[in-house]
């Protein structure tokens, strides 16, 4: 029986691994900024996700989650803000930039 | 009450768009790249969500706060907007932090290069 923690790690480990490699090659600023963004998004998730869970908008199978919560949110949910804060900046860096317009 | 969750998400997204436009962080920095990042991000997280639902880990709860439209079993349409908000908020934050760090780097390197006869350069 696959638990939420297993699912979270199966997605998180390769995504973060690849993203960190891409960000490291992007440079110190993009990499450090992404790590700061992880902290920001984890904090935001603690607030928003707790509200979503507390109002009952989403339900969880209690047999599949560890039971550890931050606020009302299962700790496994925090894989999302970690992934988004690393993967999206990495993706931005990997895509070609548009040609800069001459400054007005 | 059914529209309240969606309304909250739309307000949040509007907020990120205003900040983006004001500071030129994401779409207002490079619309084409932003569109690709947003679409891939939302699609990726929707796949993750679908896996969680298929495995029976999570599911829709209180339908009083939801419109009642699902894009997939146990995946409400509001989830798409939540993921859009997650992505736009993330890229706005990252853009802002990059800018702050870049300014700091420029400032630090300028003062480091300035001649200081009264003090040893520690490099």
């Amino acid at each position: 029986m696959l638990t939420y923690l297993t699912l979270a790690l199966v997605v998180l480990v390769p995504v973060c691994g690849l993203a960190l490699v891409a960000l490291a090659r992007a440079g110190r600023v993009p990499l450090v900024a992404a790590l700061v963004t992880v902290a920001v998004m984890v904090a935001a998730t603690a607030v928003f996700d707790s509200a979503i869970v507390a109002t009952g908008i989403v339900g969880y199978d209690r047999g599949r989650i560890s039971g550890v919560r931050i606020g009302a949110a299962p700790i496994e949910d925090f894989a999302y803000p970690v992934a988004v804060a690393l993967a999206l900046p990495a993706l931005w860096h990997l895509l070609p930039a548009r040609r800069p317009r001459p400054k007005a | 009450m059914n529209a309240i969750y969606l309304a909250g998400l739309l307000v949040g997204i509007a907020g990120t768009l205003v900040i983006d436009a004001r500071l030129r962080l994401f779409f207002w920095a490079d619309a084409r790249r932003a569109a690709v990042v947003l679409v891939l991000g939302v699609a990726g997280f929707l796949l993750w969500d679908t896996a969680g639902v298929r495995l029976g880990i999570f599911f829709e709860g209180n339908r009083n706060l939801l419109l009642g439209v699902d894009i997939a079993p146990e995946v409400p349409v509001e989830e798409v907007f939540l993921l859009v908000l997650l992505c736009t908020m993330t890229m706005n934050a990252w853009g802002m932090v990059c800018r702050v760090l870049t300014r700091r780097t420029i400032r630090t390197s300028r003062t480091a290069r300035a001649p200081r006869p009264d003090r040893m350069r520690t490099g």
Side-chain angles (χ1 to χ4, degrees):
Chain A
M1 203 170 71
L2 209 61
T3 61
Y4 194 10
L5 184 63
T6 308
L7 173 63
L9 291 175
V10 161
V11 177
L12 197 59
V13 170
V15 166
C16 291
L18 292 170
L20 285 169
V21 168
L23 287 167
R25 295 176 64 200
R28 196 186 66 86
V29 166
L31 175 62
V32 172
L35 296 173
V36 173
T37 307
V38 168
V40 170
M41 293 312 293
V42 164
T45 300
V47 174
F48 291 143
D49 202 22
S50 285
I52 290 167
V53 172
T55 53
I57 285 170
V58 62
Y60 298 85
D61 179 344
R62 288 184 187 222
R64 307 290 199 106
I65 57 174
S66 64
V68 180
R69 299 200 183 226
I70 298 180
I75 196 166
E76 296 91 334
D77 271 357
F78 288 84
Y80 280 62
V82 174
V84 77
L86 295 178
L88 263 54
L91 204 52
W92 177 268
H93 164 68
L94 290 169
L95 290 166
R98 79 184 166 152
R99 283 178 328 139
R101 287 197 207 109
K103 288 254 164 91
Chain B
M1 286 295 267
N2 291 82
I4 197 156
Y5 182 34
L6 182 61
L9 294 170
L10 291 174
V11 167
I13 292 170
T16 62
L17 291 177
V18 166
I19 292 169
D20 181 0
R22 188 85 172 70
L23 299 177
R24 311 191 84 79
L25 295 168
F26 187 34
F27 277 93
W28 273 263
D30 187 336
R32 199 187 40 87
R33 256 203 293 184
V36 174
V37 167
L38 183 65
V39 168
L40 288 179
V42 172
F45 283 104
L46 275 177
L47 278 175
W48 196 348
D49 279 347
T50 310
V53 163
R54 286 259 180 93
L55 293 166
I57 293 167
F58 43 71
F59 35 85
E60 259 179 50
N62 185 349
R63 281 148 220 267
N64 291 331
L65 302 174
L66 298 172
L67 277 184
V69 179
D70 285 350
I71 58 163
E74 302 296 330
V75 182
V77 66
E78 288 89 342
E79 182 64 8
V80 176
F81 292 93
L82 176 67
L83 295 175
V84 168
L85 180 59
L86 182 73
C87 293
T88 55
M89 201 187 293
T90 296
M91 290 306 287
N92 276 4
W94 181 69
M96 278 190 263
V97 178
C98 277
R99 199 168 288 174
V100 168
L101 291 178
T102 303
R103 287 204 192 118
R104 276 220 186 142
T105 308
I106 292 169
R107 234 179 269 135
T108 313
S109 62
R110 277 208 192 116
T111 53
R113 269 188 246 123
R116 285 174 112 104
D118 57 321
R119 191 185 295 195
M120 289 268 277
R121 275 244 213 115
T122 48

